[in-house]
Amino acid sequence: DQQVKQNSPSLSVQEGRISILNCDYTNSMFDYFLWYKKYPAEGPTFLISISSIKDKNEDGRFTVFLNKSAKHLSLHIVPSQPGDSAVYFCAASDPYGGATNKLIFGTGTLLAVQP
Amino acid sequence: ETGVTQSPTHLIKTRGQQVTLRCSSQSGHNTVSWYQQALGQGPQFIFQYYREEENGRGNFPPRFSGLQFPNYSSELNVNALELDDSALYLCASSPDVQETQYFGPGTRLLVL
């Protein structure tokens, strides 16, 4: 059963426009979320995170929004650049892990930014 | 500062064989986590090591085992390889258990 879902396998955006990547989760106990970016032949690179005590976190061109009532988060990239083209993974930190920091990942969204 | 490194980059094995994958954690990091990423899927948690002790395990059979060494580098061992073990194996290190995990480039394993 997929606890973290990214329902859009791919997204195409024009350079300079906004990219919005979406993620839904099923477990209301999840309290910490992360976004990773992955280029081919490389490991995932940490982008930005958000704790459930916030509804927004911003870092440069990247902003993550969290809607706890809808169990939904989104990553906004403004403005989008061709170098942003990659697979984006949403992840949640499993609170039932106890002392373990176990990340549960979605299946990823392939973002293509067209010049 | 050197990031997380993994070796080898690619590996081909046959069913029933055993494999060892290696990970060097980032300097100053005492926690290593291993993930398996099958084609078209997100990474799945295998287990985590903290200061040389296993610190949690995902839904993987016992033929998946690991070690962490005093320098905090780590190994993932898989015995009796099956075709479904073909995947990208990712190692991630973090400064401490609850800190952000930073990933290596992965080892791509193909089981024939």
Side-chain angles (χ1 to χ4, degrees):
Chain A
D1 185 28
Q2 196 76 13
Q3 296 187 72
V4 176
K5 301 176 186 179
Q6 294 177 256
N7 293 318
S8 298
S10 63
L11 175 68
S12 183
V13 170
Q14 286 294 121
E15 181 178 5
R17 306 293 290 266
I18 184 171
S19 295
I20 300 176
L21 297 105
N22 294 305
C23 178
D24 297 296
Y25 59 96
T26 57
N27 190 335
S28 58
M29 297 300 291
F30 286 162
D31 60 2
Y32 192 73
F33 303 89
L34 307 92
W35 283 93
Y36 284 86
K37 175 173 75 173
K38 188 179 185 301
Y39 294 118
E42 294 184 14
T45 302
F46 170 71
L47 265 180
I48 192 168
S49 61
I50 188 165
S51 164
S52 61
I53 62 173
K54 294 185 171 184
D55 55 16
K56 176 182 170 181
N57 189 25
E58 194 171 349
D59 184 1
R61 297 186 297 115
F62 302 92
T63 303
V64 56
F65 295 91
L66 176 61
N67 182 332
K68 289 186 290 293
S69 60
K71 297 198 202 67
H72 176 85
L73 62 156
S74 60
L75 174 68
H76 293 210
I77 306 174
V78 183
S80 302
Q81 300 173 352
D84 296 330
S85 298
V87 177
Y88 288 78
F89 289 100
C90 169
S93 181
D94 183 356
Y96 295 105
T100 306
N101 185 7
K102 168 185 172 181
L103 297 181
I104 300 174
F105 284 85
T107 52
T109 296
L110 174 63
L111 173 65
V113 180
Q114 310 296 334
Chain B
E1 185 180 282
T2 306
V4 180
T5 60
Q6 292 186 243
S7 63
T9 55
H10 295 84
L11 204 49
I12 300 175
K13 291 285 187 179
T14 55
R15 197 170 45 181
Q17 284 190 310
Q18 178 265 343
V19 70
T20 298
L21 310 182
R22 295 178 174 83
C23 171
S24 290
S25 57
Q26 196 165 320
S27 177
H29 290 194
N30 59 26
T31 303
V32 171
S33 305
W34 286 91
Y35 293 81
Q36 179 197 66
Q37 186 182 7
L39 205 58
Q41 302 297 315
Q44 287 208 325
F45 178 78
I46 302 175
F47 42 56
Q48 183 175 83
Y49 279 83
Y50 169 66
R51 293 183 180 273
E52 303 179 60
E53 297 287 332
E54 187 177 291
N55 186 50
R57 191 178 180 90
N59 294 327
F60 281 81
R63 58 190 185 83
F64 285 77
S65 63
L67 279 175
Q68 188 179 29
F69 299 100
N71 66 354
Y72 302 135
S73 65
S74 178
E75 283 182 358
L76 163 65
N77 299 290
V78 187
N79 293 323
L81 283 166
E82 300 176 0
L83 298 180
D84 284 349
D85 295 333
S86 295
L88 179 68
Y89 288 85
L90 294 161
C91 165
S93 73
S94 50
D96 211 329
V97 174
Q98 297 300 332
E99 302 285 330
T100 299
Q101 296 181 24
Y102 297 91
F103 285 82
T107 294
R108 187 160 295 281
L109 172 65
L110 178 61
V111 182
L112 300 175

